[in-house]
Amino acid sequence: MAASGETLTMVPKTVQELATAVEEPPSQYLRPEQERHAGLRAADEMPDPIPLIDLSRLTDADEADKLRAALQHWGLFLATNHGIEDSLMDAVMSASREFFRQPIEEKRKCSNLVEGKPFEIEGYGNDKVATQDQILDWQDRLHLRVEPEDERNFAKWPSHPESFRDVLHEYTSRTKGIRNLILRSIANLLELDEAYFVNQLSNKATGFARFNYYPPCPRPDLVLGLKPHSDGGLLTILLVDEDIGGLQVQRDGKWYNVPAKPYTLVINLGDCMEIMNNGIFRSPVHRVVTNAEKERLSLATFYSVDGETVLEPAPGLVDDRRPSRYRKLKTKDFVVGLIEHFLQGTRFIETLKI
Ligand SMILES: O=C(O)CCC(=O)C(=O)O
Ligand SMILES: [Fe+2]
């Protein structure tokens, strides 16, 4: 038996390898008893549907009102007329599918674990296993920095399929435009200067693309594809596999399915945005359930501010009646806490609440 020190640094097999090798998921993947007991399924009825927002009409009052309601109730919405052609969405999904279909040795060329070096945030693989009781997710991923552009680490970018780099570059140049559009709309809803959030973005502001791959799982009743969490940044723009659901969002303690609509993006707020708007619009807790028959892919693009930015509520949203609700800290310190908490299935933002 391995000494416990060894166990902690052990590299788990990719889930893709596991999925073909085991009939039952290993114990590290099993959700805690009370969570399984509640069932990993969503509630049958929704209090109101998750709004579908037309991004080409956000300057119209009725569409802006819909956005406000979406952010108040869900922290998340579906977006249509976002300006990304169907063909580009297809191309980025199919480049991703091709990457994950390659033999493991090929994918390892982009690994987030290079022998003798500490675990890296970028690359192909799984989460760092920090403690023995950490519950693992039924997914593998490829995590790449896309912003700032001059800090892209192409050593971690797949060279196969050949189109991968160009397609990801093109796709993320579009999602960046969507980021700015939504940030302006949120500032308007909060009656801040329209450029307030965009102005928080220095030329070192970060963007990451996370390609998630969820193989079929023999026990969707016991295992999650991605544990409950909220995203850390300002905004996440998510592209999901066409007709395979799986994403769920929590509202008032209950889980609801987020519908998967072809060529529609899912956009959600992150913790940094919750802090900057002083808790008026929350960052939603979400999770992904597994599917016994089908594999599933998604591409999340996370946008945030740079590490040196001090995270604090916009001064225009703080007054005597609504004092600051969060302890202030630098974004780079927030990210350290966020990762530590994520691995343990908790939320760092909760510890910052005053
Ligand atoms: O796969 C999904 O639908 C959600 C992915 C997600 O929540 C994430 O990558 O943070
Ligand atoms: Fe997420």
Side-chain angles (χ1 to χ4, degrees):
M1 204 174 120
S4 66
E6 263 175 67
T7 316
L8 293 185
T9 53
M10 223 167 57
V11 184
K13 266 198 167 67
T14 63
V15 177
Q16 199 168 4
E17 289 170 294
L18 263 185
T20 55
V22 299
E23 276 174 24
E24 284 291 314
S27 59
Q28 295 145 291
Y29 290 84
L30 305 184
R31 300 306 304 168
E33 191 68 47
Q34 71 276 16
E35 198 177 331
R36 285 191 251 156
H37 191 68
L40 299 177
R41 272 163 300 138
D44 292 334
E45 266 189 51
M46 285 186 139
D48 43 81
I50 295 175
L52 175 66
I53 310 280
D54 181 342
L55 295 195
S56 69
R57 291 188 50 235
L58 272 176
T59 43
D60 295 2
D62 58 337
E63 211 60 19
D65 283 347
K66 245 166 93 179
L67 178 64
R68 178 193 303 282
L71 298 181
Q72 266 167 354
H73 300 311
W74 297 104
L76 169 150
F77 58 92
L78 305 180
T80 184
N81 284 331
H82 39 64
I84 309 184
E85 301 86 343
D86 295 357
S87 57
L88 181 54
M89 291 178 137
D90 286 340
V92 75
M93 271 312 205
S94 95
S96 160
R97 212 176 294 281
E98 255 189 73
F99 169 75
F100 285 106
R101 276 198 186 144
Q102 294 178 104
I104 185 76
E105 307 77 60
E106 280 302 310
K107 287 179 290 206
R108 285 232 172 88
K109 291 181 182 161
C110 306
S111 179
N112 59 4
L113 279 169
V114 178
E115 226 169 296
K117 287 203 192 151
F119 182 92
E120 290 180 68
I121 191 84
E122 270 192 271
Y124 168 71
N126 305 97
D127 286 327
K128 177 177 175 176
V129 180
T131 60
Q132 270 168 312
D133 55 2
Q134 186 176 323
I135 302 176
L136 307 182
D137 295 323
W138 196 260
Q139 65 138 267
D140 301 321
R141 55 136 189 281
L142 173 67
H143 195 213
L144 301 173
R145 179 190 291 272
V146 292
E147 291 285 335
E149 252 186 68
D150 59 3
E151 289 181 26
R152 291 179 180 180
N153 177 6
F154 289 116
K156 300 285 179 198
W157 288 45
S159 48
H160 181 87
E162 253 175 56
S163 60
F164 191 98
R165 288 186 185 187
D166 288 348
V167 165
L168 183 58
H169 174 74
E170 188 59 32
Y171 177 78
T172 53
S173 65
R174 308 299 189 81
T175 49
K176 192 173 169 182
I178 296 173
R179 170 197 71 179
N180 294 345
L181 176 75
I182 308 283
L183 290 181
R184 287 178 186 279
S185 302
I186 298 176
N188 279 331
L189 290 177
L190 294 166
E191 293 177 9
L192 295 170
D193 182 299
E194 188 183 65
Y196 181 80
F197 295 116
V198 175
N199 285 344
Q200 303 296 310
L201 301 166
S202 71
N203 59 2
K204 294 278 174 217
T206 61
F208 281 90
R210 174 170 158 145
F211 296 83
N212 296 303
Y213 173 74
Y214 306 90
C217 175
R219 296 303 300 268
D221 54 328
L222 303 180
V223 171
L224 282 176
L226 189 51
K227 63 174 86 57
H229 68 282
S230 53
D231 297 340
L234 286 177
L235 209 64
T236 303
I237 301 176
L238 182 71
L239 176 59
V240 298
D241 229 347
E242 274 186 25
D243 52 355
I244 307 157
L247 176 62
Q248 298 181 345
V249 61
Q250 199 174 43
R251 172 166 166 185
D252 300 330
K254 285 193 182 160
W255 291 102
Y256 298 97
N257 286 324
V258 177
K261 276 196 200 306
Y263 305 113
T264 302
L265 296 166
V266 179
I267 300 185
N268 66 269
L269 302 187
D271 296 337
C272 291
M273 176 51 88
E274 175 174 326
I275 294 173
M276 284 188 183
N277 75 51
N278 206 15
I280 295 173
F281 297 139
R282 298 286 175 82
S283 122
V285 174
H286 52 288
R287 70 181 185 184
V288 178
V289 294
T290 56
N291 187 302
E293 277 97 43
K294 294 180 183 165
E295 62 176 29
R296 176 178 182 272
L297 286 170
S298 70
L299 168 56
T301 324
F302 303 106
Y303 287 107
S304 194
V305 287
D306 87 59
E308 293 301 325
T309 302
V310 174
L311 278 179
E312 60 185 331
L317 300 176
V318 178
D319 59 25
D320 290 346
R321 279 183 304 122
R322 194 178 177 91
S324 177
R325 299 203 166 165
Y326 304 86
R327 230 167 3 96
K328 78 176 173 190
L329 80 173
K330 276 200 176 175
T331 306
K332 62 182 178 193
D333 299 322
F334 177 78
V335 172
V336 171
L338 177 90
I339 294 172
E340 270 171 26
H341 277 258
F342 172 78
L343 295 178
Q344 297 315 310
T346 53
R347 292 179 76 205
F348 185 49
I349 192 171
E350 295 295 339
T351 70
L352 299 176
K353 288 185 179 164
I354 299 173

